[in-house]
Amino acid sequence: MLKIDLTFDLSAVRGVLDAALGATGPDRRAMHEYMAQFVGRLTTEDLEDEVGTKHKTANALGAEPTHFFAKAAGSVKASGTDDGVTMTMQRAGLSRAFFTYHLRPIRSRLLTIPIKKESYGKRAREFKDLKWRTFTKEDKAAGKTDTAGLVLGRPAEEKGGMFIALFAGTKKATVPQDRKILPSDEEWLKAAGIGLTAYLKAKLSNA
């Protein structure tokens, strides 16, 4: 799970909080719970709406997007602590909002990268009778294959037919950082401020 700890500097409004809520001041955990509701809601809605998601690979292949980020919205859980807000969510894919990471195969010798519409969003093991082949640009030009390089795909059904590659094979891949797949720090801070206002209204209405 990806864990994000958010702390908020309330020193500028501490006097207002204490004056509004009496000498005892605010219950920080309860206050942060209100803030967590709005921070979590913002994050969930951004993921559901796929804000900042470009679907570059799906569009390039003419494939239907997997809507991974919209599905990941259900994993968002935010709660208040004495110090701020703690939010957890699905790690795979979302952690790239904060850093670039490098993929390497664990249980096999190669990674399989989808390169066709029909293989996008699927794993190689979902297909039967695929074979590894290596082709050159000359092979592609000669019509032996539709893709050059080390590929995994379907052998030609008849002699002289074209090998249809579904996946490219590679020993490593880099997934670049993309902060836009999650709300910005400024957006989280704004959502927390709305939660703080809601907390104050609730406290004062019960005073």
Side-chain angles (χ1 to χ4, degrees):
M1 297 296 289
L2 175 64
K3 181 180 179 182
I4 303 170
D5 290 315
L6 304 173
T7 58
F8 308 101
D9 182 7
L10 302 178
S11 59
V13 294
R14 182 64 60 194
V16 176
L17 286 172
D18 290 345
L21 301 178
T24 58
D27 177 342
R28 288 196 178 188
R29 181 175 288 271
M31 179 176 66
H32 291 150
E33 281 289 352
Y34 268 83
M35 297 164 82
Q37 292 178 33
F38 288 86
V39 170
R41 186 182 305 164
L42 168 68
T43 306
T44 297
E45 291 176 350
D46 266 24
L47 287 172
E48 288 177 340
D49 294 339
E50 297 185 323
V51 175
T53 306
K54 304 176 184 65
H55 302 303
K56 284 185 177 180
T57 302
N59 292 335
L61 297 178
E64 177 66 23
T66 61
H67 299 296
F68 166 82
F69 294 105
K71 295 173 184 175
S75 71
V76 176
K77 299 185 184 304
S79 59
T81 68
D82 290 337
D83 300 317
V85 172
T86 293
M87 186 161 51
T88 61
M89 61 191 77
Q90 183 175 321
R91 178 181 176 85
L94 298 184
S95 57
R96 64 184 287 232
F98 303 103
F99 56 84
T100 294
Y101 59 94
H102 306 282
L103 299 176
R104 292 183 181 276
I106 297 176
R107 297 183 181 86
S108 61
R109 291 189 295 176
L110 294 170
L111 295 172
T112 50
I113 310 299
I115 55 176
K116 288 291 192 303
K117 177 180 178 178
E118 64 182 293
S119 57
Y120 181 75
K122 297 180 180 179
R123 299 178 184 275
R125 61 173 174 265
E126 296 180 44
F127 296 84
K128 294 182 179 180
D129 303 322
L130 299 187
K131 303 293 183 182
W132 283 107
R133 294 286 189 274
T134 300
F135 294 100
T136 64
K137 292 181 179 179
E138 289 72 23
D139 291 327
K140 180 180 178 182
K144 297 179 181 178
T145 176
D146 61 345
T147 308
L150 176 61
V151 294
L152 179 65
R154 295 194 178 103
E157 294 183 356
E158 56 186 51
K159 189 173 182 179
M162 179 180 287
F163 183 96
I164 304 301
L166 296 175
F167 299 89
T170 181
K171 292 183 178 180
K172 60 182 180 179
T174 299
V175 181
Q177 179 185 0
D178 185 356
R179 186 64 184 82
K180 293 181 180 179
I181 63 177
L182 288 175
S184 66
D185 293 347
E186 291 76 15
E187 290 170 325
W188 273 332
L189 184 60
K190 182 177 179 180
I194 296 173
L196 175 59
T197 300
Y199 167 77
L200 284 170
K201 287 182 177 180
K203 289 288 287 185
L204 293 174
S205 64
N206 295 325

